[in-house]
């Protein structure tokens, strides 16, 4: 599980690095991207891999699994990436 989470972190950082430079330091944008990445990981884990290799994974409530992947996997990774980007190159917040 640790190796899988590290792999997901590596893939997430590669995907985040190809995003537009002006969006990398914005918290809200990165939070949305991270949560979408968490949902993508859930799709791969539960809907592709689990159906073939681990069918007992599908016996748990799937909506709860989507939320956990989005909030506890994708969101923290994206916010850590944003914090690292802001340390590297501070981004000015847009004015309303």
């Amino acid at each position: 599980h640790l190796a899988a989470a590290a792999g997901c972190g590596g893939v997430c950082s590669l995907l985040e690095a190809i995003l537009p430079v002006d969006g990398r330091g914005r918290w809200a944008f990165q939070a949305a991207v991270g949560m979408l990445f968490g949902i993508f990981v859930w799709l791969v884990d539960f809907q592709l891999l689990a159906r073939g290799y681990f069918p007992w994974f599908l016996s748990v409530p799937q909506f709860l699994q989507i939320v956990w992947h989005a909030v506890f996997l994708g969101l923290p990774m994206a916010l850590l990436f944003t914090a690292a980007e802001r340390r590297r190159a501070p981004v000015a917040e847009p004015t309303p």
Side-chain angles (χ1 to χ4, degrees):
H1 199 251
L2 179 63
C8 286
V11 170
C12 183
S13 66
L14 290 174
L15 293 175
E16 298 262 4
I18 64 172
L19 291 174
V21 176
D22 64 335
R24 289 183 192 172
R26 293 188 356 232
W27 295 106
F29 176 75
Q30 288 293 343
V33 169
M35 292 177 80
L36 287 172
F37 179 77
I39 292 171
F40 172 75
V41 169
W42 170 82
L43 281 170
V44 170
D45 284 349
F46 281 80
Q47 300 306 314
L48 294 177
L49 295 175
R51 288 196 185 277
Y53 299 106
F54 311 107
W56 58 88
F57 277 14
L58 301 173
S59 64
V60 297
Q62 293 302 299
F63 181 74
L64 189 58
Q65 293 296 321
I66 293 172
V67 172
W68 285 349
H69 276 80
V71 174
F72 296 112
L73 176 71
L75 184 61
M77 282 195 298
L79 295 180
L80 286 169
F81 181 85
T82 305
E85 279 293 310
R86 285 177 163 245
R87 278 193 304 272
R88 190 174 70 82
V91 176
E93 289 290 328
T95 56

